[in-house]
Amino acid sequence: MNSERFNAYRIMWVLVLYDLPTETKTNMREVSLFRKKLLDDGFSLFQFSIYVRHCPSRENAEVHINRVKSMLPKAGKVAIICITDKQFGEIEIFFARNKEEPPSTYLQLELF
């Protein structure tokens, strides 16, 4: 097995941050639909209005970034950030002054 395949600088995390309007029922429907599409694409809730997805490579991350771009709502702000697993692993998370561990990295299963 190629050791570079699981390199912490090759594995990527895609973060989607959004601030969408919720004044009308139509706006609420669009927010719900956008959130559902993120979940269907394998993103997980990291924090309110922030979703993350683990990707085994930069190429795979680009696929999911393009997918998010194709489902952008008509109004509001959406930011997409792509960082390495090494950078993501250095996040310090606190909940009520208690330090928490960042989400664990997924192991990729290969079928031949």
Side-chain angles (χ1 to χ4, degrees):
M1 184 176 287
N2 188 354
S3 64
E4 181 159 325
R5 185 160 183 102
F6 296 111
N7 186 325
Y9 296 100
R10 181 167 163 69
I11 298 169
M12 305 299 290
W13 285 86
V14 177
L15 289 79
V16 177
L17 305 84
Y18 63 87
D19 185 16
L20 303 175
T22 58
E23 289 90 29
T24 65
K25 286 186 180 182
T26 303
N27 290 146
M28 288 294 290
R29 201 172 309 119
E30 284 185 353
V31 171
S32 295
L33 182 61
F34 182 66
R35 181 183 171 280
K36 183 181 180 323
K37 287 179 180 178
L38 287 174
L39 292 171
D40 289 345
D41 193 34
F43 283 84
S44 302
L45 179 68
F46 184 72
Q47 191 171 322
F48 186 70
S49 296
I50 300 174
Y51 284 78
V52 297
R53 187 181 201 293
H54 179 265
C55 297
S57 66
R58 178 70 173 161
E59 295 79 17
N60 184 260
E62 286 296 325
V63 168
H64 293 286
I65 289 170
N66 290 333
R67 201 170 289 160
V68 171
K69 288 179 182 178
S70 73
M71 60 184 165
L72 292 173
K74 295 176 186 173
K77 290 185 180 179
V78 176
I80 304 169
I81 302 171
C82 193
I83 62 174
T84 65
D85 189 50
K86 180 76 171 169
Q87 293 168 323
F88 189 80
E90 295 189 20
I91 292 175
E92 289 187 280
I93 302 170
F94 296 90
F95 182 74
R97 296 187 182 185
N98 297 320
K99 191 170 183 175
E100 290 186 348
E101 293 298 315
S104 59
T105 302
Y106 300 96
L107 293 177
Q108 182 69 29
L109 176 64
E110 284 191 36
L111 301 174
F112 296 95

